[in-house]
Amino acid sequence: MKSGLSHIELSVLVRELQAIVKSKVEKVYQPSPDELVFNMYSSEKGKFMLKISLPNYIAVTEYKEDYPKEPSHFVMFLRKYLSNARLVSVVQPPFERVVELCFEKAGEKFITIVELFSKGNFIVCKGDYQILIPMHSQSWKDREIRPRLQYNYPPQRYDLENLDVYSFTDILNEQERDQIVKAVAKGLSLGGTYAEELCSRAEIDKTLKPSELTSEQYQLLFKKFLDMLDESKESEIEASVIYSMGKAVDVEPFPLKINAKNEKKKFESYN
């Protein structure tokens, strides 16, 4: 089954999570080192749980787990600052596998950042993005996650928000991959499933080298990419679990052409 989310899938999930905005945090638990569970309450939904499993997913759940008897220092911090806080927004920065949960308590704003890439992280910041405490302190040559530092997103090699067909073509040709599907997966941060889907929708042989595509094929691929982004942001959510040989193998938020022949079970929610 699915072990992580692409930015396409996360876009759909964040749309659904708008339903829990205005909920209040009752208590926070940490079932395992890379999991957090927020017991939440809203007048519309009643009691529910928001589970974060790093680096795989964030989801509303009704499944109750056993929690450690003694809360960790990190959980004690979360309880101090976020108990009785109200969730005021759920946002995904464009093309990022990141969710920002913004809470307010006694007139103070806290931004919690859920990183669903690499090893994952959960970072609590002030309203100005100064880090108060991260679940994991981390350091790279161009980025550092530690208390009292300013939070920054990972640097992006490409400006995917302002693409035209020419920059789109350049990005895919710069990936040094022997197949267009691999260039799409890496250059557009789509992952394997949605790279295959994009090639399928554009009716392009996924094994072609990027240099073998014509300008017309790149124009079509670009159009289908924009269409897929729009679908994740605006189209009706038609979630299904995909089966192969009787086993669940994937979950799709909207119908994918590559899964057309597979057995499916539809659900009202992607979550």
Side-chain angles (χ1 to χ4, degrees):
M1 274 293 288
K2 188 174 291 298
S3 60
L5 297 170
S6 70
H7 67 77
I8 291 279
E9 295 163 317
L10 194 56
S11 177
V12 174
L13 190 54
V14 166
R15 285 171 58 195
E16 292 191 333
L17 290 176
Q18 301 309 308
I20 68 170
V21 170
K22 297 183 180 180
S23 302
K24 292 188 75 172
V25 178
E26 293 190 330
K27 208 155 190 180
V28 185
Y29 297 94
Q30 190 172 15
S32 69
D34 289 313
E35 291 183 325
L36 290 171
V37 173
F38 287 73
N39 281 13
M40 310 280 289
Y41 174 82
S42 75
S43 56
E44 292 81 10
K45 291 180 65 66
K47 293 179 180 289
F48 64 94
M49 290 169 283
L50 180 66
K51 183 175 180 179
I52 296 165
S53 178
L54 300 174
N56 298 320
Y57 63 84
I58 175 172
V60 173
T61 180
E62 297 177 356
Y63 176 70
K64 196 168 184 178
E65 304 178 58
D66 293 327
Y67 305 126
K69 293 182 179 179
E70 295 296 326
S72 65
H73 169 72
F74 185 67
V75 167
M76 291 297 289
F77 182 96
L78 294 180
R79 289 179 181 178
K80 176 181 177 181
Y81 284 91
L82 298 182
S83 290
N84 293 314
R86 189 175 299 278
L87 179 64
V88 295
S89 68
V90 181
V91 176
Q92 177 199 16
F95 298 98
E96 297 283 0
R97 285 182 292 164
V98 173
V99 179
E100 289 187 9
L101 304 169
C102 182
F103 295 92
E104 285 186 358
K105 179 179 178 180
E108 193 169 3
K109 180 186 287 187
F110 300 97
I111 299 171
T112 62
I113 299 168
V114 185
E115 294 188 342
L116 297 172
F117 58 86
S118 187
K119 295 181 180 180
N121 210 342
F122 185 91
I123 303 143
V124 184
C125 301
K126 295 181 180 180
D128 62 357
Y129 288 88
Q130 184 186 58
I131 298 171
L132 289 170
I133 187 170
M135 180 181 280
H136 306 295
S137 291
Q138 296 171 304
S139 183
W140 301 267
K141 65 178 182 179
D142 47 19
R143 184 169 177 257
E144 195 167 2
I145 303 294
R146 296 190 188 282
R148 294 183 293 279
L149 296 181
Q150 199 73 10
Y151 177 81
N152 294 302
Y153 290 107
Q156 293 288 345
R157 184 177 177 187
Y158 304 109
D159 183 6
L160 296 179
E161 286 189 78
N162 297 294
L163 283 180
D164 58 25
V165 68
Y166 304 106
S167 55
F168 177 85
T169 302
D170 289 343
I171 288 171
L172 298 185
N173 276 283
E174 289 173 8
Q175 298 310 307
E176 298 181 351
R177 294 296 192 269
D178 60 352
Q179 295 181 352
I180 187 62
V181 68
K182 295 178 182 178
V184 167
K186 184 173 186 295
L188 304 179
S189 301
L190 284 181
T193 297
Y194 290 88
E196 286 200 30
E197 177 67 12
L198 185 57
C199 291
S200 179
R201 291 185 179 194
E203 299 184 346
I204 291 172
D205 181 352
K206 66 180 183 180
T207 65
L208 288 175
K209 295 179 180 178
S211 61
E212 293 176 331
L213 269 67
T214 66
S215 60
E216 289 77 15
Q217 285 177 311
Y218 271 114
Q219 288 174 2
L220 181 58
L221 198 64
F222 179 58
K223 180 183 182 303
K224 295 298 183 181
F225 175 61
L226 297 182
D227 289 346
M228 188 183 292
L229 292 180
D230 288 341
E231 191 168 3
S232 70
K233 296 174 184 176
E234 300 172 4
S235 295
E236 181 180 356
I237 297 170
E238 300 180 61
S240 297
V241 174
I242 309 303
Y243 293 86
S244 178
M245 306 291 289
K247 292 184 178 181
V249 294
D250 203 356
V251 184
E252 61 181 25
F254 45 78
L256 300 184
K257 190 175 179 181
I258 59 173
N259 292 331
K261 295 181 180 180
N262 290 79
E263 178 189 352
K264 298 183 182 184
K265 182 178 181 180
K266 294 185 178 181
F267 289 84
E268 292 183 1
S269 167
Y270 185 59
N271 180 81

